[in-house]
Amino acid sequence: MKQFLSFVKKEFFHIWRDKQTLFILLGMPIVQITIFGFALTNEVKNAEIAILDQSKDAATTQLISEIRASQYFTVSAFLNSPNDIAETFKQNKAKIILVLPASFNSDLKHLNKAQVQLIADASDPNTATTLINYATAIITDYQKNINKTSQIPMVINTQVRMLYNPQLKGAYSFVPGVMAMVLMLVCTMMTAITIVREKEIGTMEVMLVSPVQPLKIVVAKAVPYLLLSIVNIISILLLSVFVLDVPINGSIVLLMGESILFTITCLSFGLLISSLTGSQQTAMFIALTGMFLPTIMLSGFMFPVENMPLPLRLISNIVPSRWFYQIVRAVMIKGLGIEGVWKQTLILIAMTLFLLTLAVKKFKIRLE
Amino acid sequence: MATDYIITTEELTKRFNDFTAVDHISFYVNKGEIFGFLGANGAGKTTAMRMLCGLSLPTSGKATIAGFDVYKQTENIKRSIGYMSQKFSLYEDLTVRENIRFYGGIYGKSNAFIKEKTNWLLQQLNLQDEADKLVGSLPLGWKQKLAFSVAIFHEPQIVFLDEPTGGVDPVTRREFWNLIYEAAATGITVFVTTHYMDEAEYCNRVSIMVDGRIDALDTPVALKEKFNAATMDEVFLQLARKATRIDN
């Protein structure tokens, strides 16, 4: 135990002395959450909307005021005729235009059915789609409201249904993704590098000659990074809740438990890398291509797994962060309990055991 | 076998597939001796030394270190030996004191022992003022001396030095050897590999490995006589030229 403690203490010294790295490790989640939460978000705020109101009655006024009230849109212009539409887009005065026909109010009253047209500037297709979704949602809301007071139900053709994230908030999907990314970076890459560094500088040899069991060396290396990761998890969660307004709907204990499980998966992978390579560069390269890229590309964080071609979908199954990403989304956003994520949890446990066994085995072989 | 032998080997062999790195070597090392282990690069020195340190299992043959068997009692061996690798083996981002503490700690020494011995050691090396400085800021010669002192900090019976003076200036090498003599005087056996033939002269006895075998083993004086050479350098060259193995 004393040996072990000397080791852990030494590891903390290493981390503490390397202020630059420490700063990066602790600052990274904060920066990433901020970047992903605000700058790189695909949600749109205060987009300019122009309105061509040919009806100008109580019903359209009501609808327009609801659009104004939403934080997604700012009404930038009222158009007088359909001829202005093209010009408005050309001058970049609006990203989307709502056209209300002259018969809007009468159609609604007499036919119980009215039409509106949404025209979006699709030169930026992502934004256009998002804006269309926002606008449709507002219109649907409006229709529901008037249905409450009318005896004959109105026919609603548009049905926009966004479970769990009705406002299409970007942060909902970024927070779990950033968590997976940060944990992996800290655990996989740092563990791999720190062990390989000892090989490079020759201290590993000295330790192998000493009576310390190899397993103790390995675990002592992992402990400080586990603690560092817990600090990172906490800072990400605090930022999400208090800055990005992403709620933690499920149990915090379960969320922490799953995060620690994933941290251990990453640590095991880092250990495996370190026992396979002899140079810090190689270790870093393997960690990046083996963990970091798949996390970004294949976990479902950037691109939905469902949309991938079959081979990539199959590969994504062996990417641990894919399962972790699902777990965090389920627990944090959907508020599910362990009954909702037991399958993913089991997969992660199995992966961890596999990686750990392999790492320890490889580590021992090197001694021979 | 006489108990005064701290290292004994008998037909010790290590094969990697069909390559015989160490080829049936038999020798012994006396207690308290400074034993020079010489050989050209690729002659099998490092492999032999790794077997003696318990880092690598022999393919065949026998060996005992401090009375312990290299096959079955590697744990006991590890407790009885110190090791200094040819790479500099201290942590540059730790202070002198922290390095000493760490190595004391992994050998399971008590805090009291570590504290007392650290002070003694710092005084011995004249490093009191540098105790809380990072090792990385020390000159190479000092680091090397510190690394040696750390290797024998836990008071082992034998210390293995793998080319300990590589890249060090002659004056510091001389000082380093003074430390080795001091350690030997306290009864520690020193097993040292080196490429510097003047250092070979400092040893009580030297062995010279060629192609995995020990071709010569005696005191430097006797070896020079036997090979009719003025210096150990000549002895070494005469033997090393016979090598058929390509330097890897």
Side-chain angles (χ1 to χ4, degrees):
Chain A
M1 198 57 207
K2 181 156 170 35
Q3 288 175 331
F4 184 71
L5 286 179
S6 318
F7 251 105
V8 174
K9 207 163 131 194
K10 181 205 75 153
E11 293 307 322
F12 272 112
F13 279 137
H14 285 319
I15 297 174
W16 186 243
R17 292 281 147 74
D18 192 355
K19 289 274 182 337
Q20 251 174 331
T21 311
L22 181 67
F23 186 72
I24 292 171
L25 291 181
L26 291 176
M28 186 173 51
I30 297 169
V31 172
Q32 284 195 331
I33 276 284
T34 319
I35 290 176
F36 281 114
F38 292 110
L40 271 183
T41 168
N42 57 14
E43 94 187 273
V44 186
K45 270 185 188 156
N46 296 326
E48 288 105 349
I49 186 168
I51 293 166
L52 173 57
D53 185 359
Q54 293 162 310
S55 180
K56 291 203 170 84
D57 52 52
T60 58
T61 313
Q62 179 61 33
L63 178 55
I64 292 166
S65 77
E66 278 186 29
I67 288 173
R68 280 201 150 132
S70 100
Q71 51 168 325
Y72 302 118
F73 295 110
T74 328
V75 176
S76 64
F78 284 96
L79 308 182
N80 296 320
S81 92
N83 300 331
D84 297 341
I85 291 173
E87 199 54 33
T88 309
F89 281 135
K90 271 185 197 155
Q91 290 175 3
N92 225 355
K93 278 194 200 149
K95 292 197 167 70
I96 184 169
I97 296 175
L98 170 68
V99 182
L100 299 159
S103 57
F104 184 75
N105 200 18
S106 60
D107 282 357
L108 211 54
K109 281 193 175 134
H110 305 299
L111 305 171
N112 291 324
K113 196 176 174 182
Q115 284 194 327
V116 294
Q117 189 179 23
L118 284 168
I119 308 168
D121 176 1
S123 60
D124 178 357
N126 288 334
T127 312
T129 318
T130 312
L131 292 180
I132 292 279
N133 282 333
Y134 288 159
T136 318
I138 295 171
I139 295 164
T140 314
D141 264 359
Y142 166 76
Q143 281 174 321
K144 268 191 220 148
N145 281 341
I146 54 173
N147 269 341
K148 279 182 200 154
T149 49
S150 79
Q151 292 89 343
I152 313 145
M154 310 275 178
V155 180
I156 300 165
N157 295 325
T158 5
Q159 196 197 19
V160 181
R161 201 163 156 261
M162 311 267 187
L163 265 181
Y164 312 117
N165 187 7
Q167 296 148 306
L168 290 174
K169 266 195 180 176
Y172 280 57
S173 64
F174 284 127
V175 168
V178 169
M179 269 178 86
M181 230 158 69
V182 167
L183 291 183
M184 238 173 36
L185 215 64
V186 174
C187 298
T188 309
M189 202 143 101
M190 292 315 291
T191 332
I193 288 178
T194 150
I195 295 182
V196 173
R197 188 189 292 147
E198 300 237 0
K199 281 192 203 171
E200 274 187 5
I201 62 176
T203 42
M204 188 55 93
E205 224 181 6
V206 176
M207 266 181 266
L208 294 180
V209 178
S210 81
V212 185
Q213 291 106 311
L215 193 64
K216 260 191 202 163
I217 303 178
V218 169
V219 176
K221 282 264 165 207
V223 168
Y225 290 101
L226 185 65
L227 291 180
L228 208 61
S229 302
I230 293 173
V231 174
N232 277 340
I233 296 168
I234 292 170
S235 70
I236 291 176
L237 292 180
L238 285 176
L239 276 173
S240 328
V241 172
F242 293 108
V243 181
L244 297 177
D245 293 324
V246 177
I248 299 177
N249 291 324
S251 137
I252 294 183
V253 178
L254 179 62
L255 191 59
M256 284 307 284
E258 297 281 2
S259 304
I260 291 170
L261 170 63
F262 181 66
T263 307
I264 297 171
T265 317
C266 294
L267 288 172
S268 319
F269 190 61
L271 294 180
L272 181 61
I273 294 175
S274 72
S275 49
L276 292 175
T277 60
S279 87
Q280 290 185 55
Q281 274 97 336
T282 324
M284 192 135 81
F285 184 74
I286 299 181
L288 277 177
T289 45
M291 268 300 222
F292 200 59
L293 283 181
T295 297
I296 294 180
M297 303 296 181
L298 298 175
S299 66
F301 155 46
M302 290 273 189
F303 313 106
V305 175
E306 295 74 25
N307 293 355
M308 290 174 193
L310 185 66
L312 286 185
R313 241 184 297 156
L314 292 178
I315 294 174
S316 78
N317 284 327
I318 59 164
V319 177
S321 33
R322 181 202 158 159
W323 305 107
F324 178 64
Y325 178 68
Q326 287 189 358
I327 292 172
V328 176
R329 260 195 338 185
V331 175
M332 210 172 151
I333 316 291
K334 299 188 194 173
L336 300 184
I338 185 73
E339 73 283 350
V341 293
W342 65 269
K343 212 175 86 186
Q344 287 90 336
T345 309
L346 279 185
I347 293 175
L348 269 190
I349 292 176
M351 283 178 169
T352 310
L353 288 179
F354 175 73
L355 288 171
L356 203 59
T357 318
L358 209 62
V360 171
K361 219 170 166 183
K362 284 275 174 206
F363 195 83
K364 275 186 182 156
I365 287 170
R366 278 194 72 89
L367 300 187
E368 285 308 301
Chain B
M1 219 173 279
T3 45
D4 280 2
Y5 297 153
I6 193 134
I7 300 175
T8 65
T9 72
E10 207 177 306
E11 303 288 305
L12 192 66
T13 303
K14 179 79 183 184
R15 257 185 235 105
F16 297 105
N17 298 321
D18 55 352
F19 174 73
T20 310
V22 175
D23 195 1
H24 299 88
I25 58 172
S26 305
F27 68 96
Y28 63 89
V29 177
N30 293 311
K31 213 170 230 174
E33 189 174 30
I34 301 176
F35 189 86
F37 201 58
L38 277 49
N41 289 336
K45 288 185 313 251
T46 308
T47 311
M49 194 145 142
R50 288 177 69 86
M51 284 192 281
L52 299 180
C53 293
L55 280 181
S56 167
L57 277 181
T59 313
S60 66
K62 283 186 206 158
T64 62
I65 310 296
F68 299 114
D69 185 82
V70 287
Y71 291 95
K72 294 176 214 132
Q73 295 169 299
T74 47
E75 284 314 305
N76 292 329
I77 291 176
K78 285 180 174 180
R79 280 179 203 288
S80 323
I81 64 172
Y83 177 76
M84 182 178 162
S85 81
Q86 51 188 347
K87 286 186 197 160
F88 173 66
S89 49
L90 296 176
Y91 295 97
E92 306 232 329
D93 57 343
L94 261 57
T95 65
V96 173
R97 204 186 288 278
E98 285 160 0
N99 264 295
I100 300 175
R101 249 204 107 71
F102 170 66
Y103 281 107
I106 62 173
Y107 279 93
K109 293 293 176 191
S110 71
N111 286 338
F113 175 91
I114 293 175
K115 203 170 167 186
E116 197 179 315
K117 184 109 195 242
T118 303
N119 289 335
W120 175 83
L121 185 74
L122 290 173
Q123 205 175 342
Q124 203 67 8
L125 293 174
N126 217 358
L127 277 176
Q128 291 108 317
D129 295 339
E130 277 74 25
D132 295 310
K133 283 191 187 153
L134 297 186
V135 165
S137 67
L138 299 181
L140 180 66
W142 292 22
K143 289 184 200 169
Q144 222 76 0
K145 284 191 269 182
L146 181 62
F148 176 71
S149 307
V150 165
I152 57 169
F153 187 81
H154 59 287
E155 301 175 346
Q157 298 185 51
I158 315 163
V159 62
F160 289 89
L161 309 174
D162 192 2
E163 292 176 26
T165 53
V168 176
D169 67 75
V171 177
T172 316
R173 277 210 283 140
R174 196 60 213 241
E175 286 172 12
F176 189 87
W177 273 87
N178 285 338
L179 281 181
I180 294 184
Y181 276 121
E182 276 168 33
T186 65
I188 296 178
T189 307
V190 181
F191 188 97
V192 57
T193 73
T194 179
H195 279 308
Y196 297 106
M197 287 308 135
D198 58 329
E199 292 186 352
E201 311 258 7
Y202 303 151
C203 299
N204 297 128
R205 287 192 308 148
V206 293
S207 74
I208 300 178
M209 268 188 103
V210 179
D211 288 350
R213 296 178 314 276
I214 291 184
D215 272 18
L217 196 166
D218 215 327
T219 62
V221 176
L223 282 177
K224 282 185 279 188
E225 216 163 276
K226 185 176 167 197
F227 287 87
N228 198 16
T231 58
M232 276 306 292
D233 214 30
E234 283 176 37
V235 175
F236 184 79
L237 285 174
Q238 282 186 36
L239 286 165
R241 280 210 192 96
K242 294 191 297 185
T244 50
R245 203 184 268 176
I246 299 156
D247 180 5
N248 50 6

